[in-house]
Amino acid sequence: MQELDNDRLVWMFTQMLRIREFEERVKRTFEEHPGVIRGHTHLADGAEASIVGSLATLQPGDQLMATYRCHGYPVALGTETKAIMAEIYGRKDGLCGGYGGSMHLVDPSRGFMGTSGIVGQGIPQATGLGWAAQLRSRSHSPQVVLAFFGDGASKQGAFHESLNLASLWKLPVVYVMENNNYNVSTRSEQEDANAAAGEPLSVKAAAYSMPGVTVDGGDPVAVYEVVGAAADRARAGEGPTLVESKVYRLSAHGNIIAPPGVPLHYPEHEAITTFGNREEYEAALRGDPVPRFRARLVEQGVLEADRADRITEEVRAEMDAAVQYALDSPFPEAETAARYDYVYA
Amino acid sequence: MARELPYIAAVQEAIFEEMGRDESVLFYGQDVAPSDDDNFVKAYGRDRVRVSPISETAEIGMAVGLALAGYRPVVELLMAEFMLVAMNQVVNEAPRLRYMSGGQVKVPLVLKAGYGFTAGWAGQHTGSIYGMFMGFPGLKIALPSTPADAKGLMTTAIRDDNPVCYLINYLLVLEHGDVPEGEHAVPFGEATVRRSGSDVTIVATGWTVGRALAAAQTLAGEGIQAEVVDPRTLNPLDTATILSSVEKTGRLVLVDQGTRHGGASAAIAAEVAEHGFGSLKAPIAQVTALDVTVPYSEPMEAFVLPNEEKIAGSVRQVLGEAPVAA
């Protein structure tokens, strides 16, 4: 694991900010450009530190898979934000040409091998990528796969089958569970035996004879160190690790679900709408990882406040341009739905 | 050169030979090569040949990941019904990822499974469930009916850049037939005419091909010349060969080991009704399994399946040589 020098720390802050500003624009689109986004979107605000801390461990050839809450990874990996936004807007210039949408971003050129819209189903696929990485490592430098999923997915058979196999075969996979404590609107202690018993969800790793670590997912450096140690272990051929990264989702699970014609929007967080617990949500806002990391870097003298402001302005300009680009991008020609070379390779 | 091999050996030979030709081919699954004395392990090693736990979602999901990473996994699933445990990976992941990515990825993998084992395996291991896979664009379906095709279709399945359900009819595994030595690939989407005839077209797959040929033999003794067409793959489906046969014969009997509704024969019937109606001199007839779960007890099991007599009877009916039921 490489030491995080000042440039790298500033890079991490910048990527966190880029994810945040991107997601805020997705959310604002529902208000500012009604009807432009269809279906369902899921935002990564609150998980930026976890995402960036994890992705900062990647080395050339490493790969990852994620869930339908997938905007943040390609943003941090360097996929053009205008292409991501255009995909979310269903436009021709979208990352996937408008065939996938918000839940199905993929950029194999950057190791982002895809997502599943179905809870837990990307985990075995990432495990297969892990087998492939193990085979490549026979002739190349060791490579690692990061498998991102939520706490809810850890109640799926796909999770348990995959961790068993990965541990059995010593596959170089780091399973990063972003635990935001809510399955849509159900709290973890209502549906997870470990949570109900007051234990961290990382104890599940013990059942599969692999290390399980819980980390503050609001601290990108802590995440980097934990995921980095797990990645080092995987590269050394010692097998997978389960990392429980505790985050707080700052938006609702997704925009409202409604039939065509009903304007969509983001409701308040489920802590408020389902449980009436505004204090929990406001406490999470006070611990918001993005300003928290900025303050820390400024305090440590890693980043001057002026420079942080300049970065912020640049990021905002980038994201405004992404929105404008996506709005200006044409829709795909309808008949390109019948591109059978996309149905069959 | 061809020599006689049992159907099941032809399947394994194709996998073995493709693994020799292409290092990216992997073979794994439940009970695959638990012993290091296994020929696959000795030839290709444990990196490429692995025995997996009973974890269909992980097995098939891993195949998707391996395929995305450039490998060509062949997953041994033993029974087609075991795919039902992992249906999301089979129908909602593997065949959709390329399209949803706007053509950025491809997912070459083979799901190898047996079906139709109506040999006293009762209700949950006997299904001919291929028809349900026809509703998922992106997923190919191969149903070999002879040892030669068993080899040739597996070779093609492995080389194909898409997910393929390669379905072995377990009633046929010990059937012997000539199988070409060395490289042998049967293209997908090319039906074959197993028997030529001018009076009626019988379309059959897998085990029912043999039943249809037996029925055709009987009918020949009555002066009825039946043409037997074996599509070999249901997706892609060679409707052109079926339509041109119907154009010649004017009559169509569809034989299907699967159930009647929502299945393969219904799909073929719809194609012919839409595109070949002008050729038809009689309504299309379907000889399928009954719409019941396959029962255990032998006489009941036989009762629900298509057989030579039912096929011949149906042919006589479409030829107007037997009373037509109201």
Side-chain angles (χ1 to χ4, degrees):
Chain A
M1 191 181 358
Q2 290 183 334
E3 285 291 311
L4 293 171
D5 61 20
N6 285 359
D7 284 349
R8 193 66 169 159
L9 289 166
V10 171
W11 177 86
M12 289 171 79
F13 165 70
T14 306
Q15 300 317 313
M16 287 170 60
L17 193 63
R18 289 179 70 242
I19 297 173
R20 172 63 55 88
E21 293 287 330
F22 184 90
E23 297 291 53
E24 288 199 345
R25 273 154 190 79
V26 174
K27 201 171 183 175
R28 273 167 30 197
T29 299
F30 290 99
E31 314 298 332
E32 295 173 2
H33 308 287
V36 163
I37 299 180
R38 308 174 71 238
H40 216 195
T41 62
H42 310 79
L43 305 182
D45 50 343
E48 296 91 345
S50 183
I51 293 168
V52 174
S54 299
L55 298 186
T57 67
L58 291 178
Q59 294 179 15
D62 291 348
Q63 294 177 325
L64 62 140
M65 285 200 88
T67 73
Y68 47 79
R69 195 177 300 285
C70 62
H71 306 166
Y73 312 95
V75 167
L77 289 168
T79 305
E80 289 203 43
T81 45
K82 59 185 188 178
I84 304 173
M85 196 66 82
E87 184 62 29
I88 295 168
Y89 288 9
R91 303 305 168 102
K92 185 177 182 175
D93 301 307
L95 181 61
C96 305
Y99 289 86
S102 165
M103 292 190 275
H104 301 293
L105 301 178
V106 51
D107 187 355
S109 68
R110 289 178 172 79
F112 185 43
M113 303 308 287
T115 69
S116 177
I118 309 295
V119 169
Q121 294 293 315
I123 303 174
Q125 296 172 13
T127 305
L129 292 174
W131 184 357
Q134 184 180 60
L135 297 179
R136 283 198 304 276
S137 296
R138 307 279 191 244
S139 52
H140 296 81
S141 57
Q143 293 171 351
V144 164
V145 172
L146 302 185
F148 292 95
F149 53 93
D151 47 296
S154 69
K155 266 63 68 180
Q156 279 282 350
F159 167 85
H160 295 276
E161 293 181 14
S162 298
L163 265 66
N164 178 64
L165 255 166
S167 182
L168 185 68
W169 292 356
K170 297 270 182 281
L171 299 181
V173 182
V174 182
Y175 294 95
V176 183
M177 178 205 296
E178 294 168 355
N179 180 1
N180 63 28
N181 205 38
Y182 283 88
N183 299 201
V184 188
S185 59
T186 304
R187 292 180 60 86
S188 285
E189 60 270 23
Q190 296 177 292
E191 52 81 55
D192 184 289
N194 304 129
E199 293 187 283
L201 271 55
S202 58
V203 300
K204 297 179 197 300
Y208 304 108
S209 304
M210 71 170 75
V213 189
T214 297
V215 65
D216 173 8
D219 178 348
V221 175
V223 172
Y224 175 79
E225 286 169 354
V226 166
V227 174
D232 285 351
R233 183 173 183 276
R235 285 185 217 284
E238 293 167 29
T241 299
L242 173 62
V243 175
E244 178 196 15
S245 177
K246 298 194 75 165
V247 300
Y248 198 98
R249 159 160 65 65
L250 292 173
S251 293
H253 167 75
N255 53 275
I256 63 160
I257 300 170
V262 177
L264 303 176
H265 69 277
Y266 263 83
E268 287 191 297
H269 190 277
E270 291 78 5
I272 301 163
T273 57
T274 305
F275 296 99
N277 192 348
R278 190 168 292 277
E279 175 45 33
E280 175 190 294
Y281 181 72
E282 286 175 354
L285 277 185
R286 287 193 294 275
D288 185 337
V290 179
R292 190 169 122 200
F293 193 51
R294 173 186 158 134
R296 175 167 148 193
L297 294 186
V298 170
E299 188 187 338
Q300 290 174 346
V302 173
L303 177 63
E304 301 81 24
D306 286 357
R307 189 173 167 211
D309 290 341
R310 279 201 308 279
I311 290 170
T312 304
E313 289 314 307
E314 285 167 15
V315 167
R316 287 178 176 161
E318 177 197 353
M319 300 310 162
D320 288 342
V323 169
Q324 197 55 52
Y325 175 88
L327 288 171
D328 292 343
S329 174
F331 284 106
E333 290 80 24
E335 59 271 24
T336 55
R339 276 202 62 164
Y340 291 104
D341 58 330
Y342 287 176
V343 181
Y344 300 99
Chain B
M1 278 292 288
R3 72 280 187 245
E4 280 220 338
L5 275 184
Y7 178 105
I8 192 67
V11 176
Q12 299 300 96
E13 183 172 276
I15 300 170
F16 193 90
E17 290 182 5
E18 284 306 293
M19 290 188 79
R21 285 187 197 102
D22 182 352
E23 282 195 357
S24 71
V25 181
L26 310 177
F27 184 35
Y28 67 95
Q30 296 166 28
D31 264 337
V32 167
S35 161
D36 286 341
D37 282 337
D38 181 273
N39 283 337
F40 281 89
V41 178
K42 284 194 282 192
Y44 304 118
R46 282 292 181 201
D47 268 358
R48 295 175 60 197
V49 182
R50 291 188 184 178
V51 58
S52 75
I54 303 170
S55 299
E56 287 84 4
T57 296
E59 293 166 58
I60 300 172
M62 285 203 332
V64 173
L66 286 162
L68 291 171
Y71 288 88
R72 293 181 180 276
V74 178
V75 190
E76 174 61 75
L77 287 151
L78 302 177
M79 293 281 188
E81 279 91 345
F82 299 169
M83 281 195 269
L84 302 179
V85 177
M87 202 61 172
N88 181 64
Q89 294 292 340
V90 178
V91 305
N92 203 28
E93 302 283 338
R96 301 211 194 280
L97 297 185
R98 175 176 175 77
Y99 187 85
M100 292 196 303
S101 75
Q104 292 184 79
V105 302
K106 58 183 184 181
V107 187
L109 60 86
V110 180
L111 304 176
K112 169 183 181 254
Y115 77 95
F117 203 24
T118 43
W121 278 69
Q124 294 186 318
H125 298 78
T126 49
S128 296
I129 61 171
Y130 39 78
M132 68 193 294
F133 298 120
M134 294 179 80
F136 294 96
L139 188 59
K140 296 191 175 182
I141 309 160
L143 295 177
S145 68
T146 68
D149 279 1
K151 178 171 181 177
L153 291 171
M154 177 56 91
T155 301
T156 302
I158 292 171
R159 294 178 185 183
D160 199 282
D161 279 338
N162 301 283
V164 179
C165 287
Y166 176 95
L167 299 174
I168 293 168
N169 193 299
Y170 269 173
L171 297 174
L172 298 178
V173 289
L174 299 181
E175 296 282 316
H176 281 64
D178 282 345
V179 177
E181 283 188 78
E183 193 166 351
H184 174 53
V186 171
F188 281 8
E190 287 191 15
T192 187
V193 177
R194 298 283 180 204
R195 185 186 208 283
S196 290
S198 51
D199 297 328
V200 60
T201 300
I202 306 175
V203 176
T205 55
W207 169 75
T208 66
V209 173
R211 310 287 75 69
L213 289 169
Q217 189 69 31
T218 303
L219 292 163
E222 302 167 19
I224 298 169
Q225 296 304 324
E227 179 148 297
V228 178
V229 178
D230 175 359
R232 303 199 280 196
T233 56
L234 290 178
N235 188 16
L237 178 66
D238 180 2
T239 47
T241 295
I242 296 169
L243 285 167
S244 75
S245 177
V246 171
E247 195 176 330
K248 180 172 71 174
T249 64
R251 293 177 173 86
L252 177 63
V253 173
L254 296 162
V255 189
D256 193 339
Q257 197 178 346
T259 46
R260 185 176 183 86
H261 289 103
S265 73
I268 296 169
E271 289 291 331
V272 175
E274 183 170 350
H275 300 293
F277 190 77
S279 308
L280 288 170
K281 299 172 190 160
I284 298 165
Q286 299 184 69
V287 184
T288 69
L290 303 185
D291 280 339
V292 297
T293 295
V294 174
Y296 166 69
S297 181
E298 190 166 7
M300 289 199 293
E301 181 192 77
F303 183 79
V304 307
L305 292 175
N307 61 25
E308 183 185 329
E309 290 72 34
K310 290 180 188 176
I311 298 165
S314 187
V315 166
R316 292 182 197 110
Q317 191 169 309
V318 299
L319 282 160
E321 296 178 13
V324 179

